[in-house]
Amino acid sequence: MYAFVRRLSTLFLLLSVLGLTSDVYAQTSNESGFSISASELIDLMPNSDVVVLHVARDSSDYRTGHIEGARFLSLNHIAVTRDAQQRMLSDWKALQDIFESVGISNDTYVVLYGEMNGLAATRAFLALDYMGHGKMSVLDGGFAAWQAEDGAISTEATSPIMSGRYRVKVHPQRIVTANQLESSIGEVAIIDARSIGEYSGEKPGNGITRPGHIPGAISMDWQMNLTDDGLMRPVSDLSKDYPVIGERVIVYCRTGMKASYAYFVARNLGLNVALYDGSFSDWSNNTSFPVETGR
């Protein structure tokens, strides 16, 4: 009898935790999409159901100083080199293992931030979105915004109490291949998130053999999404900038990093968006695909 009561108590505790996680996520997602402010995160941090991930290429960035309680997630594990292409999304099984190792389960509310002016965080956002994870936010303004709010900082590593259990529900429509993109030209909005110099072909960028852009693409430097303070511009303003052609938006850059921020913004706008994972590095290296130059 005692064992039964103990198991029942454990079940009630688990259900209450999962319910709290849902409530916590609802408090932020209803008003701000997939973005959370530093002040909102400070208020949420006492909840043990919130997992904050510091995303960077290596742990030295994390050890220098991070949000107290944040766990380290290696960008190099979720964006890998495959078939000579850099920053390709890891396969779903690898992603499952990676996120479980930092204590992420299906019901975990994940908050992401990291280096490269937030690009590491939005690349991790793409990975979780591809896996079908719904409860997540990116810290608006990143670590700088956290510091500006006098949030607690630590140099001590934080490890999960236990590994997560994740059941992946792959959303393949979040990623497109070169062939899929080519067949969509003229039917969807294509956004080039690189600088105007890279778009025009004046400044090719590392590893670009044929400078320019994909035919029909619209130049929207990813930094156009930010305010001077490094925060995401209001959704009401951004919605005026993002083109709608057909029923889909496809974003790309050189390797998929800058485009991940455009992807993140498009998801906040409620658009049906996909990222061309190989991006222009892949496209330009295949001479069978057309390239345009000029502005």
Side-chain angles (χ1 to χ4, degrees), residues 190-213:
I190 303 173
I191 294 175
D192 186 322
R194 299 174 298 162
S195 69
I196 187 63
E198 292 174 284
Y199 173 86
S200 66
E202 299 165 27
K203 298 179 180 179
N206 294 334
I208 300 301
T209 55
R210 293 186 298 148
H213 57 268

Side-chain angles (χ1 to χ4, degrees), residues 176-188 190 210 214-215 250 276 283 286-291:
V176 297
T177 64
N179 288 328
Q180 289 172 327
L181 176 52
E182 184 183 36
S183 65
S184 299
I185 292 176
E187 299 178 1
V188 301
I190 303 173
R210 293 186 298 148
I214 295 172
I250 298 176
Y276 171 24
W283 186 277
N286 190 328
T287 56
S288 66
F289 295 129
V291 170

Side-chain angles (χ1 to χ4, degrees), residues 84-237:
Q85 293 298 323
Q86 297 179 341
R87 301 299 181 202
M88 298 291 287
L89 187 66
S90 293
D91 65 76
W92 72 265
K93 185 61 176 70
L95 291 173
Q96 179 186 44
D97 293 342
I98 291 162
F99 283 104
E100 283 186 342
S101 71
V102 291
I104 304 302
S105 299
N106 292 80
D107 290 300
T108 305
Y109 174 32
V110 183
V111 177
L112 303 156
Y113 79 99
E115 64 171 350
M116 303 169 69
N117 295 320
L119 295 181
T122 52
R123 189 66 178 178
F125 174 90
L126 169 70
L128 283 169
D129 209 23
Y130 175 75
M131 293 168 64
H133 197 81
K135 299 176 181 178
M136 56 183 171
S137 298
V138 172
L139 176 59
D140 195 15
F143 192 51
W146 179 263
Q147 291 175 301
E149 289 289 335
D150 294 323
I153 297 171
S154 174
T155 56
E156 298 295 323
T158 302
S159 300
I161 298 174
M162 63 179 67
S163 297
R165 286 183 172 272
Y166 206 97
R167 183 178 180 182
V168 177
K169 298 178 181 178
V170 174
H171 285 48
Q173 72 274 18
R174 301 299 186 200
I175 299 293
V176 297
T177 64
N179 288 328
Q180 289 172 327
L181 176 52
E182 184 183 36
S183 65
S184 299
I185 292 176
E187 299 178 1
V188 301
I190 303 173
I191 294 175
D192 186 322
R194 299 174 298 162
S195 69
I196 187 63
E198 292 174 284
Y199 173 86
S200 66
E202 299 165 27
K203 298 179 180 179
N206 294 334
I208 300 301
T209 55
R210 293 186 298 148
H213 57 268
I214 295 172
I218 300 167
S219 176
M220 289 185 65
D221 188 323
W222 77 278
Q223 295 184 84
M224 293 172 58
N225 298 297
L226 304 175
T227 66
D228 292 339
D229 296 327
L231 302 175
M232 187 177 76
R233 289 169 50 207
V235 168
S236 57
D237 289 343

